[in-house]
Amino acid sequence: MTGADASDGDFLGALAAGTRLQRYELISVLGHGQFGITYLARDTELGREVAIKEYLPIALALRRGGTTVSPRSSAMKADFVWGRERFLEEARILATFGHVPAVVDVYDFMEANGTAYMVMSLVGGETLEERLKRDGTLPASIIEPMFARLLDGLEGVHKAGFLHRDIKPANIVLDSRDNPTLI
């Protein structure tokens, strides 16, 4: 998983570097959006870097007391809880996929701090958005195999009953051989 080069200070409400989530230690913020924050973390048991996505929908919840996530109001509690359960269900299913082409691997998931977390592989490379800004249009010889791989991955996701709902160039990471991963 990769993201905008954001530091912890770029997003109010992010957990501090050094925060522990079970066996994972947060290092920094990779990115954030409407539904959560993604962190760079270290798996202290396996000694590898991972990405951890935190369910923190800014329209429904906020962080209180440094770590705890709570619904913004009692009227929003049911929607927040429903979304957290969907987030965990998605993590459970994605964790069973193994190495579905072009879909980020999910290693683990957990509930903590009143919310939920998904532990994923750390995908290196640049986003398709960054590549397009730098190079402009891409030739068909790159686009065709890229999208064939993405569609194969999405077919697996759809067969499991999920829709991605946020497919865009910023959520597609390209490795050094232009292999895409949907994050």
Side-chain angles (χ1 to χ4, degrees):
M1 180 87 191
T2 188
D5 293 328
S7 69
D8 298 343
D10 290 335
F11 187 70
L12 295 176
L15 291 168
T19 299
R20 293 290 299 246
L21 296 170
Q22 295 179 6
R23 70 189 220 197
Y24 306 99
E25 182 177 352
L26 301 185
I27 297 170
S28 64
V29 171
L30 288 172
H32 50 82
Q34 295 296 311
F35 294 98
I37 304 171
T38 303
Y39 301 94
L40 171 63
R42 184 174 178 279
D43 181 331
T44 60
E45 288 183 19
L46 297 178
R48 67 179 172 188
E49 289 186 338
V50 295
I52 298 180
K53 184 174 182 179
E54 177 181 42
Y55 176 69
L56 181 57
I58 57 176
L60 299 175
L62 51 87
R63 190 173 318 280
R64 299 177 198 266
T67 58
T68 303
V69 173
S70 301
R72 289 186 174 271
S73 69
S74 58
M76 295 177 178
K77 183 176 181 179
D79 288 341
F80 173 77
V81 171
W82 181 87
R84 183 179 61 204
E85 292 307 312
R86 299 295 75 71
F87 181 91
L88 287 167
E89 182 63 17
E90 175 185 345
R92 275 185 201 91
I93 289 172
L94 288 174
T96 68
F97 280 6
H99 296 285
V100 171
V103 177
V104 68
D105 290 328
V106 173
Y107 299 141
D108 197 2
F109 53 91
M110 71 194 87
E111 287 187 77
N113 302 325
T115 193
Y117 300 87
M118 186 183 316
V119 182
M120 303 167 288
S121 62
L122 184 64
V123 178
E126 68 180 337
T127 66
L128 178 56
E129 179 179 62
E130 293 165 339
R131 178 79 174 274
L132 291 170
K133 284 181 181 173
R134 186 187 74 228
D135 295 349
T137 59
L138 300 177
S141 61
I142 291 176
I143 293 292
E144 288 172 6
M146 179 188 308
F147 281 98
R149 185 171 164 90
L150 283 170
L151 290 173
D152 287 346
L154 284 172
E155 182 178 29
V157 172
H158 292 168
K159 282 182 179 177
F162 283 95
L163 298 176
H164 189 284
R165 298 182 193 209
D166 198 19
I167 299 170
K168 60 186 179 185
N171 287 340
I172 299 170
V173 179
L174 304 175
D175 69 12
S176 61
R177 295 191 301 239
D178 293 323
N179 292 315
T181 300
L182 188 57
I183 58 171

